[in-house]
Amino acid sequence: MAKAVALAKPVRYRETVSLAAALGRVCAADVCSPISLPPFDNSAMDGFAVRTADFDGEGPWTFRVAERVVAGDVRALENLDPQTALRIFTGAPVPSSFDAVVTQEHCERAGDTVTMYERPRRGRHIRLAGEDVGADTELVKRGKGLSARDLTLLAAVGIVDVQVLRKVRIGLLSTGTELKEPGEPLEHGQIYNSNRIMLRSLLAACPWAEIVDFGMVPDSLGLLADVVARAVASCDALVTTGGVSAGEEDHMVAAVQAHGADLDVLKVAMRPGKPLKVGRIRNTVFAGLPGNPNAALIAFRQIVLPALRKLAGLAETQPQWFSAVAGFSCKKRQGRTEFVPVRISSRTETGEPVLEMLERGSSANLMAIALADGIALLPPDAAEITNGTLLRYEPFWT
């Protein structure tokens, strides 16, 4: 993974987009708040605003209700008489001389007066200006993928638009004379291309990516080289499936080398996920994934996607792993990392998922992946996994 990530140089071009168009885009510069939040002291409850200094002696205390203040009231309301209260509602501004709100459930209203039976403490039920966000507070860091929560915060402080890094253009290419598109008739020896829809779907969930689909190309060096030339001229990255092994009909490597590719054969001790080649074709990052769907999926998620995230300018590039417990037993080869499809069968008393393994290792079978909640990592130093073994688990969110 580190080699693939090191190949990616983050894009630099910035553009300004509205908050409505910014979900998932990569923030291009630190964003600070132009105002405090809340911008003024306001009532957290429906009730009566009072001055705690007016609570003399022993209660109960009765005050004249001088004004009615609602959310959006822009009056200053200064120089009000002592021993008065204000009928106030949630979100309404609290005048500067008032320092507490007594909820309506703890008051008795009678005409123009209100009686209270408990002395409030100073600041009770008042949201103070700036208690959530102070002016000039950093809200979002450069390199963060903007979430709905980030955009909500930016809107709350009055920000209209935000600078983001441009989307990275990612070319997709499938190679294999045996491949047909879903819906086309199959002849003997042919299979449907599932990798294309898999990669398109995975990248469609990345708002920082623009997909350039070069379709399917037969196992022909000349045809592949032509498509690679188009991809290098227009894309920041090219991701291919198939044709990167050492067979006589595997032409993908020769096709990219014809355009000056500098490749690294990743001899990663992982299952599934081989063969895999990464490198650069001039300014374009290249990732040649295996043709078998499960191997392509694992290699893409664990090695290629982190590199693409770095290319997009994201500060966080690594897969998100969670702690889990094995609900299965199996032996494995030491020195090799394995990724297996799993389903959550139950949870421990402390909430960790207990994982059921659905299949062991076929790089072409798809049903187990379709049924899985995610993948579990079987660590390289382990020769055996037993019930209760602590594992790392990456969920499939989509």
Side-chain angles (χ1 to χ4, degrees), residues 114-351:
V114 61
T115 300
M116 303 172 187
Y117 296 90
E118 292 184 2
R119 185 194 304 268
R121 60 174 173 79
R122 183 181 177 87
R124 181 68 169 166
H125 297 311
I126 293 179
R127 293 185 289 229
L128 299 176
E131 72 173 32
D132 186 12
V133 175
D136 297 323
T137 297
E138 184 178 79
L139 304 179
V140 183
K141 284 186 173 294
R142 182 183 187 278
K144 188 175 190 304
L146 292 164
S147 68
R149 301 182 302 280
D150 296 322
L151 299 178
T152 301
L153 179 59
L154 297 182
V157 299
I159 291 175
V160 176
D161 47 40
V162 62
Q163 279 196 333
V164 297
L165 296 174
R166 72 163 175 85
K167 292 185 177 184
V168 292
R169 290 172 58 85
I170 301 172
L172 298 181
L173 169 63
S174 300
T175 180
T177 303
E178 77 280 11
L179 297 178
K180 301 288 282 186
E181 288 289 5
E184 296 179 343
L186 286 181
E187 297 183 15
H188 181 70
Q190 295 180 326
I191 60 173
Y192 287 122
N193 181 10
S194 59
N195 284 332
R196 184 181 182 189
I197 191 65
M198 175 186 73
L199 292 176
R200 282 189 65 96
S201 300
L202 289 169
L203 287 171
C206 303
W208 40 263
E210 177 184 344
I211 302 169
V212 183
D213 193 339
F214 291 100
M216 295 191 312
V217 179
D219 293 316
S220 161
L221 177 56
L223 293 176
L224 287 171
D226 288 344
V227 176
V228 170
R230 290 160 48 202
V232 170
S234 61
C235 297
D236 301 294
L238 173 63
V239 180
T240 68
T241 55
V244 292
S245 191
E248 293 181 5
E249 292 300 312
D250 294 315
H251 301 299
M252 196 68 245
V253 171
V256 297
Q257 287 178 333
H259 294 282
D262 181 15
L263 299 183
D264 190 351
V265 180
L266 291 186
K267 297 180 179 179
V268 182
M270 59 184 281
R271 178 188 182 193
K274 294 186 294 183
L276 172 67
K277 291 181 173 64
V278 297
R280 295 187 68 87
I281 315 169
R282 298 196 287 275
N283 293 323
T284 301
V285 174
F286 171 74
L289 297 172
N292 283 322
N294 284 356
L297 173 66
I298 297 302
F300 179 80
R301 291 181 67 101
Q302 302 304 316
I303 296 175
V304 178
L305 187 56
L308 296 179
R309 289 172 63 85
K310 182 182 175 185
L311 189 66
L314 285 159
E316 181 56 57
T317 63
Q318 304 306 310
Q320 189 173 17
W321 293 93
F322 297 88
S323 296
V325 175
F328 59 91
S329 298
C330 68
K331 295 184 182 297
K332 63 175 290 295
R333 182 192 302 174
Q334 276 189 300
R336 183 175 68 185
T337 301
E338 292 192 30
F339 300 93
V340 295
V342 291
R343 182 165 51 196
I344 298 175
S345 60
S346 61
R347 290 190 178 270
T348 66
E349 292 182 356
T350 54

